[in-house]
Amino acid sequence: MRIINKNTLLLLLFSLLISKNLRSQEKYVTTTNTKDAFAIAENQNVAPILYSSQDYQGVQKVILNLQSDLEKVTGIPPKLYTDVSKVKDLPIIIGTINKSPIIDQLIKNKLIDENSLSGKWEKFIIKTLKNPFPGIKEAVVIAGSDKRGTIYGIYDLCKQMGVSPWHFWADVPVKKSDKLYVIPGVHTMNEPKVKYRGIFINDEAPALAGWVHENYGSFNAEFYEKVFELILRLKGNYLWPAMWGRMFYVDDPKNKELANLYGIVMGTSHHEPLTRAHAEWKKFGTGAWDYRTNAENLAAFWKAGMERMENTETIVSIGMRGDGDEPMTDGTAIELLETIVKKQREIIKNVTQKNIQETPQLWALYKEVQAYYDKGMRVPEDVTLLLCDDNWGNIRKLPNPSDAPRKGGYGVYYHFDYVGDPRNYKWINTNQIERTWEQMHLAYKHGVKDIWIVNVGDIKPMEFPISFFLDYAWNPEQWKAKDLPKYYLQWSSDTFGAKYAEEIADILMKYTKYNARRKPELLSSETYSLLNYQEAETIQMEFDSLTAKAKNSYKKIPTAYKDAYYQLVLFPVLASANLNKLYFETAKNKLYTTQGRALTNQTIKNVKNLFANDSILTAYYHKKLAAGKWNHMMSQTHIGYTSWQEPKNNSIPKTNSIILKEKAEMGISVEGTHKWYPKSTNALELPAYLSLDDEKHFIEIFNRGKENFTYSIKTINNWLQFSQKKGTIKNQKRIWVSLNQKELPPGKNETYFFVEKGKEQVKIKVKINNPKQNKITGFIENDGYISMEAKNYTRSKTMEDFEWITVPNLGKTSSGVTTFPVTKSIKKITDASPRLEFDFHLFTSGAIKIHAYFSPTLNYNTNVGHYYGIGIDNQPPEIVDFHLNDTKSNWNQLVANNSKIITTSLTATNGNHTLKYYMKSSGLVLQKIVIETTSIKESYLGPKESFEIKK
């Protein structure tokens, strides 16, 4: 515990941000008229839309969406014109340079700067103009450098008017207004920093598949039009379509035509070469999916895919994996894969009749394919190397900053959803945007700027992280670590309005943090400790508090927003809290069964009710929410996993019942130990107390029979205070034990108290340390440890070109700390090296263990690795190899735990000290440090932060 509440910083940051402009991008549409502003809507009039019929068909289609959006906002549909001479009102002019004669004329008349758009990638400008054409006194123009640039400009105006990109996919209501004005000037988002930015619909059964088949019959153009519109409204441009038995080009030939119309760049997943969906081989292929034995048929199959592609905008996947997204061979058959790639590129060149470099291609270094690259296999320079995470949000490989640039550049394939080891995670959003930011920032700073694509599962319920991923991809330089709380606020304000943005942002921040600690599919009754550090109960109290806050917000928000709020905020909170409580009650059942508690059988009822409530929440989502619009969308199983693969049905956790004794029998359990009375006849012992800290611990007096009994607590002195010293026990009662500070003797002492039931007496020991404060500095040892959150370091030391950065909210307990720049390391640690210092005080001497808790960073540069130093005072630091014990089984554990703990043994004497954590390698994110002096009890999150005295 700190003298200042450790959440103060985040709360202050929230308060400051909410008082300022919530938008990172300039707000150029207002509902208040200002000098020289252009009126889109005013006095029951809406500006008409002027465009050229020669412009892209996709642009013209999106103009119709603008017309519809304006009608939704103002209640009045704007008129559409393609002839300048017929426009009488002040128009919105829309067009693409070199495609729209209207825009080209404005350029010719020097009203638009040609250099601001010509040759640019996906750029738009929105500009107010005076006298753009004879008879038109004023206009606002949306001009794009290309098809998508113009479309993005249109949809940006829609968003600023009050139409959310999630208006269909999350039922976010339109913000209605009869007055809309564009602030004078030129408004733009410039070019995107990442060229291709997209999503991968995957693992789409049973949820999305069930919904699609009920509403559209198949994954056809009617469905994909909703997907394309979403991607474009979010300023993405790239899609890997659904592929679990789906065939984008076969299921509906209009899919390809519509994607091309909208300007969506199509691709196929990492294991579907030359645009052929995996399911197509089963339908159209001949022979085995094995190039060694079936090269001719595979070549013909791939050639047909390229012929079908025609002149549509596509990134062609090359390479090959085994059938069903499995390894192609045992080991790395480099020569075979090189032969395959060479043949595939011959097919691409021959079919397209273009220089091979003119067809965008990617080679995905997914799973075992990365080993081919690591062992020396290379593809031509024009091919984009698609680097991948480990399916759990940890990037596996990045280019060395000193590497020569490649013409094809680099991309990243990232995951918000996954099917595979160590466990599927598909049910609900478990992604912290802070971790996404940290990993994608790594990628961007290492020059990975050509493709960013993320596996989003069913699209829902990943709305929030999808928004962040695509917003960040547009301009990673815009969002700094300190700005991440602002993103929650901005998104909440855009979606639900500024009035409730702060509280909704806090809910989003907390529920994603809680779910990211351990994915719901990995939760069990053993995850959080019932015995130690009040861990399981603290977790449940956090969820209970969050649930109450989310329900309260739901009551307050306007009715129009309730459907959107339920699916984006309330449901994930309620469902996640319910699941955590289900396992909490299951854990209590196991403990109570062992101890024969009277409430054991009640926990069975609780488990049954919570399991049933999971179905009730799902049923509401499917049948009541938005009048049943989202039926099937939450049908993913998530309870009862026994392996990595999902269970066919949710199954209730196993519980045990007991038969109570007729007569009363007293039982006593003590926080922090598995020992309990009457099983243990030795004196029970509470966790040690530090008088400086206002802490309290508990005992539980429980009944092992049907009859009530009375108890009393007797003490041998007045050092202790009790929440209740006598009473009657029907089932059980928790007694809180705290210190009577005024009566404590100085130094280390022991005392006892007794719990009595008639003549029966149980002795409980208490250790108390009451030190003098004047000689103590830093975090203070107690109960065998010192625990320190990384962000609460005492001081930091930097050197030229390096700085320490706190990533707010990143991690399982507080925030993460890392160094910038992420592309530089230090050859040798010296006294001048960047470091974090933690002052601490020991009451013991001898060997200690330093447990450093990190985010689970992988060795993304195998030639360099990751190292850090750890030392005490002026001792030479121990240099620690972060990846020394990396193995497959260790990886399973670290991704399941979403953290990596590395232990270093040192020695220290009693007294004040400084622990020094030295930066040697960039890219590591430190979350907390625990110094073990005698013992650390088993828990998932580690001990709570220790008390600190700052001087």
Side-chain angles (χ1 to χ4, degrees):
M1 181 185 295
R2 293 173 62 83
I3 294 174
I4 298 176
N5 188 301
K6 63 186 179 182
N7 291 320
T8 300
L9 180 62
L10 275 177
L11 292 173
L12 286 173
L13 187 58
F14 262 54
S15 299
L16 288 170
L17 288 171
I18 195 66
S19 66
K20 295 182 179 181
N21 189 345
L22 291 174
R23 298 177 182 273
S24 61
Q25 184 196 351
E26 169 194 14
K27 177 70 175 173
Y28 58 82
V29 175
T30 71
T31 55
T32 303
N33 197 1
T34 59
K35 183 180 179 182
D36 295 327
F38 177 84
I40 293 177
E42 185 181 53
N43 299 326
Q44 297 300 307
N45 290 316
V46 175
I49 299 171
L50 172 63
Y51 65 98
S52 171
S53 59
Q54 297 178 41
D55 212 326
Y56 292 103
Q57 289 298 307
V59 169
Q60 297 184 52
K61 191 171 184 63
V62 172
I63 285 171
L64 297 179
N65 288 346
L66 172 61
Q67 181 187 39
S68 174
D69 285 359
L70 271 167
E71 182 176 10
K72 291 171 184 174
V73 173
T74 66
I76 302 170
K79 296 178 181 179
L80 303 179
Y81 293 96
T82 57
D83 186 341
V84 174
S85 65
K86 294 184 179 180
V87 178
K88 296 181 181 179
D89 297 312
L90 308 182
I92 302 169
I93 302 173
I94 299 173
T96 313
I97 67 168
N98 300 322
K99 193 69 177 176
S100 166
I102 298 173
I103 298 299
D104 292 345
Q105 186 62 48
L106 292 174
I107 291 173
K108 185 178 180 180
N109 294 343
K110 306 298 183 182
L111 294 175
I112 295 177
D113 179 11
E114 183 176 9
N115 292 330
S116 68
L117 292 173
S118 181
K120 306 297 184 182
W121 177 264
E122 299 181 343
K123 183 180 178 182
F124 66 86
I125 61 168
I126 295 177
K127 183 179 182 181
T128 54
L129 296 176
K130 298 292 186 180
N131 303 308
F133 293 105
I136 299 177
K137 295 181 179 180
E138 189 179 0
V140 62
V141 61
I142 302 173
S145 63
D146 48 32
K147 181 197 296 186
R148 284 190 295 272
T150 307
I151 289 173
Y152 292 151
I154 296 169
Y155 279 141
D156 197 66
L157 179 66
C158 293
K159 182 179 178 180
Q160 293 241 354
M161 292 188 318
V163 180
S164 168
W166 295 100
H167 74 282
F168 172 80
W169 282 97
D171 303 300
V172 178
V174 170
K175 296 175 183 177
K176 297 182 181 298
S177 178
D178 58 0
K179 295 180 180 179
L180 294 171
Y181 303 92
V182 176
I183 294 171
V186 180
H187 313 284
T188 183
M189 293 181 67
N190 294 309
E191 296 177 276
K193 300 292 186 182
V194 177
K195 187 172 185 179
Y196 296 106
R197 310 162 308 281
I199 64 173
F200 176 21
I201 301 172
N202 192 27
D203 311 327
E204 65 270 13
L208 181 64
W211 180 80
V212 168
H213 286 295
E214 179 174 305
N215 289 278
Y216 301 102
S218 67
F219 283 73
N220 56 27
E222 187 180 0
F223 161 73
Y224 274 112
E225 184 162 21
K226 298 296 186 184
V227 176
F228 298 156
E229 181 183 335
L230 174 68
I231 292 171
L232 292 169
R233 284 183 183 267
L234 291 171
K235 297 183 178 67
N237 60 9
Y238 184 38
L239 175 68
W240 288 359
M243 49 76 61
W244 271 24
R246 329 292 168 198
M247 298 171 284
F248 178 80
Y249 294 95
V250 176
D251 291 339
D252 186 348
K254 293 179 181 178
N255 287 343
K256 180 186 77 171
E257 298 171 10
L258 193 64
N260 191 52
L261 179 77
Y262 271 114
I264 295 293
V265 182
M266 292 304 303
T268 46
S269 73
H270 54 89
H271 67 103
E272 298 177 305
L274 277 66
T275 78
R276 299 307 298 261
H278 174 255
E280 289 187 62
W281 180 252
K282 184 176 180 180
K283 186 176 181 66
F284 303 113
T286 302
W289 181 265
D290 188 337
Y291 197 79
R292 293 168 299 187
T293 63
N294 199 24
E296 186 176 343
N297 285 324
L298 281 164
F301 178 72
W302 292 331
K303 180 183 178 185
M306 293 309 301
E307 290 171 340
R308 181 181 62 191
M309 184 182 78
E310 296 178 316
N311 200 32
T312 58
E313 200 170 358
T314 307
I315 302 176
V316 180
S317 297
I318 63 172
M320 186 177 184
R321 294 191 78 212
D323 195 11
D325 199 12
E326 295 293 333
M328 183 171 61
T329 62
D330 294 330
T332 51
I334 291 178
E335 185 177 350
L336 173 62
L337 190 52
E338 287 177 335
T339 300
I340 292 169
V341 168
K342 182 179 180 180
K343 181 61 178 178
Q344 289 173 340
R345 283 170 61 84
E346 287 179 3
I347 293 170
I348 294 169
K349 182 179 179 181
N350 292 337
V351 172
T352 62
Q353 292 295 297
K354 295 178 182 178
N355 186 315
I356 187 64
Q357 297 184 6
E358 294 180 30
T359 301
Q361 301 151 66
L362 68 80
W363 181 39
L365 305 188
Y366 183 72
K367 286 191 174 181
E368 83 290 340
V369 179
Q370 183 177 308
Y372 286 75
Y373 184 86
D374 290 341
K375 292 182 179 181
M377 180 175 168
R378 295 294 182 266
V379 292
E381 288 292 300
D382 60 284
V383 177
T384 301
L385 290 184
L386 189 69
L387 311 172
C388 303
D389 70 356
D390 61 352
N391 303 303
W392 289 73
N394 308 299
I395 291 176
R396 297 177 66 211
K397 191 169 193 67
L398 290 172
N400 192 312
S402 63
D403 289 348
R406 305 180 72 260
K407 182 177 180 181
Y410 299 90
V412 166
Y413 170 35
Y414 202 72
H415 284 76
F416 291 155
D417 164 288
Y418 179 58
V419 169
D421 284 336
R423 191 65 56 87
N424 295 0
Y425 62 95
K426 299 170 56 180
W427 174 52
I428 208 161
N429 178 30
T430 61
N431 302 282
Q432 275 193 293
I433 65 168
E434 294 85 357
R435 180 61 171 167
T436 302
W437 175 89
E438 184 265 329
Q439 288 289 286
M440 298 311 294
H441 173 263
L442 268 180
Y444 182 73
K445 290 299 182 180
H446 280 80
V448 181
K449 303 178 180 180
D450 290 273
I451 299 172
W452 285 14
I453 187 161
V454 59
N455 186 327
V456 300
D458 303 307
I459 299 177
K460 299 180 70 65
M462 305 301 172
E463 299 96 337
F464 180 60
I466 290 172
S467 291
F468 177 77
F469 187 88
L470 293 177
D471 280 343
Y472 188 57
W474 185 276
N475 186 6
E477 296 170 12
Q478 176 185 346
W479 292 101
K480 312 299 183 186
K482 63 182 177 60
D483 296 322
L484 294 175
K486 180 181 178 181
Y487 188 86
Y488 289 94
L489 283 166
Q490 173 185 307
W491 196 84
S492 299
S493 179
D494 287 346
T495 306
F496 300 106
K499 184 176 182 180
Y500 303 105
E502 185 175 2
E503 59 191 83
I504 293 174
D506 183 60
I507 295 167
L508 289 171
M509 180 181 285
K510 285 190 169 78
Y511 104 71
T512 51
K513 184 183 190 73
Y514 298 166
N515 277 352
R517 285 169 173 164
R518 192 170 185 87
K519 298 192 183 293
E521 292 86 347
L522 280 159
L523 287 174
S524 73
S525 58
E526 286 79 34
T527 299
Y528 299 113
S529 176
L530 271 180
L531 300 176
N532 302 320
Y533 309 123
Q534 301 171 26
E535 182 178 63
E537 293 184 346
T538 299
I539 295 295
Q540 193 54 52
M541 285 190 292
E542 287 177 342
F543 267 113
D544 287 345
S545 175
L546 191 64
T547 296
K549 185 170 186 176
K551 286 182 174 179
N552 186 53
S553 295
Y554 181 74
K555 291 178 182 178
K556 293 189 296 183
I557 62 171
T559 301
Y561 287 92
K562 289 189 184 296
D563 281 347
Y565 181 86
Y566 187 87
Q567 55 200 283
L568 295 173
V569 183
L570 187 58
F571 177 82
V573 171
L574 295 179
S576 302
N578 186 79
L579 187 66
N580 272 269
K581 195 167 187 176
L582 173 72
Y583 289 118
F584 178 54
E585 291 293 328
T586 304
K588 290 200 294 185
N589 174 263
K590 291 182 178 181
L591 178 65
Y592 290 5
T593 298
T594 302
Q595 297 175 344
R597 295 199 192 194
L599 281 180
T600 300
N601 295 342
Q602 180 60 47
T603 62
I604 299 175
K605 295 178 182 178
N606 295 345
V607 169
K608 289 180 178 178
N609 290 338
L610 290 162
F611 183 74
N613 193 47
D614 181 89
S615 298
I616 292 169
L617 290 169
T618 302
Y620 181 87
Y621 197 111
H622 288 168
K623 301 300 182 182
K624 300 292 185 180
L625 174 66
K629 176 180 177 180
W630 300 112
N631 190 28
H632 303 289
M633 198 57 85
M634 283 297 125
S635 58
Q636 178 60 51
T637 56
H638 49 278
I639 307 173
Y641 274 79
T642 58
S643 68
W644 67 266
Q645 184 58 283
E646 65 196 50
K648 185 176 181 180
N649 300 295
N650 289 329
S651 58
I652 191 168
K654 182 181 178 181
T655 52
N656 297 293
S657 62
I658 63 172
I659 299 175
L660 287 178
K661 300 173 183 180
E662 292 297 324
K663 294 185 177 181
E665 183 177 314
M666 181 172 69
I668 299 175
S669 66
V670 175
E671 178 190 345
T673 178
H674 64 279
K675 296 179 180 179
W676 56 280
Y677 175 86
K679 184 176 181 180
S680 177
T681 56
N682 296 327
L684 301 175
E685 183 176 348
L686 278 168
Y689 285 80
L690 178 67
S691 64
L692 304 177
D693 194 357
D694 185 24
E695 62 181 333
K696 57 184 179 179
H697 299 293
F698 66 84
I699 66 170
E700 285 186 336
I701 306 171
F702 55 87
N703 201 342
R704 288 162 50 86
K706 295 180 180 179
E707 296 178 355
N708 297 351
F709 68 86
T710 58
Y711 75 94
S712 62
I713 294 176
K714 302 291 176 65
T715 59
I716 60 174
N717 51 45
N718 55 358
W719 299 354
L720 303 176
Q721 297 175 328
F722 300 88
S723 58
Q724 191 170 336
K725 292 190 72 173
K726 61 181 179 179
T728 301
I729 302 295
K730 178 181 179 182
N731 293 313
Q732 63 186 43
K733 185 164 294 184
R734 175 167 291 186
I735 308 296
W736 289 99
V737 184
S738 56
L739 299 180
N740 185 357
Q741 299 281 356
K742 296 180 180 180
E743 301 296 332
L744 295 177
K748 293 183 178 180
N749 295 278
E750 288 187 4
T751 188
Y752 299 87
F753 66 90
F754 300 90
V755 180
E756 297 180 347
K757 170 183 173 284
K759 296 182 179 181
E760 189 177 4
Q761 187 182 71
V762 180
K763 181 180 181 180
I764 300 174
K765 182 167 68 173
V766 179
K767 292 180 179 179
I768 304 170
N769 187 4
N770 184 24
K772 294 181 179 180
Q773 293 190 37
N774 58 345
K775 293 184 179 181
I776 294 175
T777 298
F779 294 92
I780 304 172
E781 177 191 6
N782 185 47
D783 202 29
Y785 70 87
I786 299 172
S787 180
M788 306 172 289
E789 294 290 347
K791 76 178 181 97
N792 294 329
Y793 54 83
T794 307
R795 66 191 68 85
S796 64
K797 301 291 185 181
T798 59
M799 62 186 297
E800 187 177 357
D801 296 332
F802 287 95
E803 62 177 325
W804 290 98
I805 298 294
T806 296
V807 186
N809 197 49
L810 173 58
K812 291 162 68 172
T813 52
S814 184
S815 299
V817 180
T818 188
T819 51
F820 278 9
V822 294
T823 53
K824 285 187 177 182
S825 296
I826 292 174
K827 291 182 179 180
K828 184 179 180 180
I829 290 177
T830 67
D831 288 341
S833 295
R835 64 182 182 268
L836 299 178
E837 296 185 353
F838 299 82
D839 290 345
F840 68 97
H841 185 89
L842 293 177
F843 297 106
T844 57
S845 298
I848 60 175
K849 294 179 180 178
I850 312 297
H851 304 286
Y853 291 58
F854 293 93
S855 297
T857 301
L858 300 181
N859 191 2
Y860 52 78
N861 190 334
T862 53
N863 295 327
V864 178
H866 291 96
Y867 299 86
Y868 66 92
I870 201 86
I872 294 176
D873 299 331
N874 295 321
Q875 298 175 5
E878 294 284 331
I879 307 302
V880 182
D881 183 347
F882 187 82
H883 302 292
L884 180 62
N885 296 314
D886 284 2
T887 64
K888 169 66 175 176
S889 60
N890 287 345
W891 172 83
N892 281 342
Q893 183 179 32
L894 73 88
V895 297
N897 293 343
N898 198 21
S899 67
K900 184 173 187 175
I901 303 173
I902 298 179
T903 301
T904 306
S905 295
L906 299 174
T907 58
T909 59
N910 61 1
N912 292 327
H913 296 281
T914 299
L915 179 72
K916 298 178 180 180
Y917 167 76
Y918 294 85
M919 176 263 183
K920 188 175 188 300
S921 304
S922 59
L924 298 181
V925 181
L926 180 68
Q927 295 186 14
K928 69 190 290 184
I929 293 177
V930 177
I931 302 174
E932 180 180 358
T933 57
T934 56
S935 65
I936 294 178
K937 296 167 184 174
E938 184 178 351
S939 67
Y940 183 69
L941 299 177
K944 296 179 181 179
E945 189 170 45
S946 299
F947 186 81
E948 180 189 15
I949 293 179
K950 285 190 168 185
K951 296 259 178 104

